[in-house]
Amino acid sequence: MKNIVVLISGSGSNLQAIIDATANNPHCRVVGVLSNKESAFGLERARKAGIETAAIDHTQFDSRLDFDNALIKQIDLWQADLVVLAGFMRILTDQFVQHYSGRLLNIHPSLLPKYKGTNTHQRALDAGDTEHGCTVHFVSEELDGGAAIIQAATPIEQRDDVDSLIKKVHQLEHKIYPIAVSWFASNRITLNGDRVYLDGSPLGETGYIYRA
Ligand code: GAR
C-alpha cells in the first residue's frame, strides 16, 4: 500500500479526482493533504474524505529553503511514497525536488514542452494553436521540465476563450492525473534518468497520449 501526499493551493478539483479514484484502489491511499494556504478549499475536500490535513503558510518563512524544509518535515511524518502536486502554486527548491526524486508528480495545464510557467491558456490562444491540453510529469529541478508521463489534448475552437479552455483542460486533468497516480501505485511507471518507462517500454517526450 503506497502512501500519497497531495500538495494544493486552491480549489483542489484534481485532489478530489484523485481521492475519488483511489478510494477503492488496494495499492494506494491519500494519507495527507498539505496547503500553503489555510483557506484553500481543497483542505475541506480532504477533511470531508477523512484525510489528515496541514497548512503551512509560506509567508511565515524567511527563505524558500526554510519553507520547503517545513513541508518535507510534514510530508515525511505522513511517510509518503508519492508526493502529488495538484495546483500547488509555489516554486520548490532543488533540495525539495531531490528529496522526492522519482516520486514527485505535477500536473501542468499545457501540452508540455509548450508553455511552461503561467498563463498557459492565454498563450495557446495568442499563438493560434489548434489544440491545448495538460500533462502529468515527474518533477525535475527545471520548472515544468521533468519527464512527461501522460498528456491529453482538446481542440481549440473558434469560440473558445480562457474560461472555456480552463474548463475543458480541467476535465482532462481529472482523467489523466488519477491514471498517472494508479500507474505509479502499481509500479507500472518508473523514471530512469530523464526517461519514463511504462510497463517496461520507454515513453516519448510527451508521455503516453490519452485518448478519451
Ligand atoms: C490545475 O489546472 C493545474 O493544472 C494548475 O492549477 C490548477 C489547479 O486546479 N497547475 C499549475 O498551473 C501548475 N503550474 P485544482 O486546484 O482545481 O486542482
Side-chain angles (χ1 to χ4, degrees):
M1 180 67 98
K2 286 197 164 68
N3 288 340
I4 303 170
V5 169
V6 183
L7 270 59
I8 58 159
S9 297
S11 155
S13 68
N14 279 286
L15 163 69
Q16 189 68 60
I18 291 167
I19 290 173
D20 294 345
T22 52
N24 296 312
N25 187 328
H27 301 295
C28 60
R29 57 184 174 171
V30 180
V31 293
V33 174
L34 184 48
S35 175
N36 61 314
K37 290 190 176 161
E38 185 101 51
S39 60
F41 181 63
L43 291 177
E44 262 180 55
R45 295 181 191 268
R47 282 183 214 114
K48 210 166 161 196
I51 297 166
E52 281 187 38
T53 63
I56 301 179
D57 179 357
H58 60 278
T59 65
Q60 300 302 307
F61 294 84
D62 289 336
S63 69
R64 276 190 198 280
L65 190 55
D66 287 349
F67 172 62
D68 283 7
N69 280 331
L71 294 180
I72 287 173
K73 204 168 158 194
Q74 179 60 59
I75 295 167
D76 288 354
L77 268 178
W78 279 321
Q79 300 187 302
D81 299 297
L82 173 66
V83 180
V84 170
L85 306 178
F88 186 66
M89 297 313 211
R90 302 298 305 163
I91 291 174
L92 296 160
T93 57
D94 290 356
Q95 287 89 339
F96 183 97
V97 171
Q98 282 153 15
H99 189 84
Y100 298 109
S101 175
R103 53 195 182 107
L104 179 58
L105 306 187
N106 182 44
I107 191 154
H108 184 72
S110 79
L111 298 171
L112 288 172
K114 275 189 161 184
Y115 312 132
K116 297 172 181 176
T118 55
N119 295 321
T120 59
H121 311 289
Q122 187 64 57
R123 287 157 70 197
L125 285 169
D126 291 348
D129 290 357
T130 54
E131 58 172 16
H132 185 44
C134 48
T135 310
V136 177
H137 62 94
F138 280 104
V139 176
S140 71
E141 289 89 343
E142 187 203 339
L143 183 69
D144 302 324
I149 298 166
I150 183 168
Q151 185 166 88
T154 182
I156 298 182
E157 289 155 301
Q158 201 78 51
R159 61 175 181 276
D160 274 319
D161 56 16
V162 167
D163 286 340
S164 67
L165 282 187
I166 287 175
K167 278 202 194 106
K168 284 184 180 180
V169 169
H170 255 126
Q171 280 170 6
L172 293 174
E173 290 185 341
H174 301 162
K175 297 248 165 44
I176 66 170
Y177 219 169
I179 292 174
V181 167
S182 81
W183 283 349
F184 185 93
S186 50
N187 297 317
R188 292 185 60 190
I189 46 170
T190 46
L191 179 65
N192 198 338
D194 55 6
R195 225 170 224 290
V196 179
Y197 289 76
L198 173 63
D199 297 331
S201 300
L203 294 175
E205 191 192 18
T206 56
Y208 180 92
I209 304 295
Y210 171 82
R211 309 233 179 259

